[in-house]
Amino acid sequence: EAGVAQSPRYKIIEKRQSVAFWCNPISGHATLYWYQQILGQGPKLLIQFQNNGVVDDSQLPKDRFSAERLKGVDSTLKIQPAKLEDSAVYLCASSLNSRGADTQYFGPGTRLTVL
Amino acid sequence: AQSVSQHNHHVILSEAASLELGCNYSYGGTVNLFWYVQYPGQHLQLLLKYFSGDPLVKGIKGFEAEFIKSKFSFNLRKPSVQWSDTAEYFCAVNERSSASKIIFGSGTRLSIRP
């Protein structure tokens, strides 16, 4: 079974530039999550999709971050414009459904460095 | 708001030593509890989870965790660690309702001396 795919794996940009990350979840998984993991901290949920609808985006900085999952499969997360404090690993995860006990499967992450 | 505390940031043990990593959460309702692990160079993956039933949960690679409701704790244990257990371990919790988001602790880095 193929896992969660993410690209790119690494990205270095300057502040005020834009960047986009892509995620392809496990086939058949209805729920997709984007997390931000800052060095020394645990992952923090940015946004959760159920199919192509948003379930929770309460911690997404909407003035600069946006995400979409148009056809209920792949998803993109965009930052525009980036700030120094956005330097982090961005993790995508998926689960079969959004039941609380469902196991989340994580991708390898994208390490973003903002200079 | 929910929170998860992992008080040990870095634990160093010798092979065959016993392991216990602490995890406490703050939430008054019914919860699901998780331990995730990230081995060097690998993805974050589920080690074990509790959502109902026996509070002593067994996971992969000989790990277990005990849910003690009165102490709001879900400590991870292994009787004898191996060098291959070197990894970062994250405790996580969510409210036992549909679509409830998971809150992660800050993680504990475990280093095993061969």
Side-chain angles (χ1 to χ4, degrees), chain A residues 46-93:
Chain A
L46 293 175
I47 188 166
Q48 177 180 338
F49 292 95
Q50 176 74 10
N51 297 308
N52 60 351
V54 175
V55 173
D56 187 332
D57 64 357
S58 57
Q59 297 190 102
L60 186 74
K62 298 181 187 63
D63 58 334
R64 298 184 301 107
F65 285 65
S66 64
E68 58 184 14
R69 193 185 184 199
L70 290 175
K71 295 183 180 178
V73 180
D74 292 8
S75 177
T76 56
L77 175 70
K78 296 179 182 177
I79 307 175
Q80 180 179 11
K83 292 185 175 182
L84 296 176
E85 59 261 35
D86 298 332
S87 293
V89 176
Y90 290 84
L91 297 168
C92 180

Side-chain angles (χ1 to χ4, degrees), chain B residues 24-73:
Chain B
N24 290 92
Y25 66 93
S26 65
Y27 182 68
T30 306
V31 296
N32 301 308
L33 295 155
F34 309 81
W35 277 97
Y36 279 84
V37 61
Q38 188 165 25
Y39 297 103
Q42 295 188 26
H43 307 181
L44 199 60
Q45 60 183 285
L46 183 70
L47 196 57
L48 52 79
K49 65 181 177 183
Y50 169 81
F51 54 95
S52 67
D54 189 344
L56 184 62
V57 180
K58 295 191 184 299
I60 60 172
K61 303 188 179 186
F63 285 91
E64 65 178 30
E66 185 175 12
F67 170 45
I68 303 179
K69 189 175 180 180
S70 61
K71 295 185 178 180
F72 297 90
S73 70

Side-chain angles (χ1 to χ4, degrees), chain B residues 15 39-40 61 78 81-87 89 112:
Chain B
E15 277 195 311
Y39 297 103
K61 303 188 179 186
K78 185 171 184 179
V81 295
Q82 302 171 305
W83 179 79
S84 58
D85 294 325
T86 295
Y89 293 81
I112 305 299

Side-chain angles (χ1 to χ4, degrees), chain A residues 11 13-14 16-20 79-82:
Chain A
K11 190 74 177 178
I13 62 173
E14 295 189 348
R16 290 188 289 273
Q17 286 188 320
S18 301
V19 65
I79 307 175
Q80 180 179 11

Side-chain angles (χ1 to χ4, degrees), chain B residues 66-105:
Chain B
E66 185 175 12
F67 170 45
I68 303 179
K69 189 175 180 180
S70 61
K71 295 185 178 180
F72 297 90
S73 70
F74 190 56
N75 292 354
L76 182 70
R77 300 193 295 247
K78 185 171 184 179
S80 177
V81 295
Q82 302 171 305
W83 179 79
S84 58
D85 294 325
T86 295
E88 185 134 25
Y89 293 81
F90 293 92
C91 182
V93 63
N94 72 352
E95 179 186 355
R96 194 176 301 167
S97 65
S98 182
S100 172
K101 68 185 177 195
I102 289 181
I103 306 296
F104 282 85

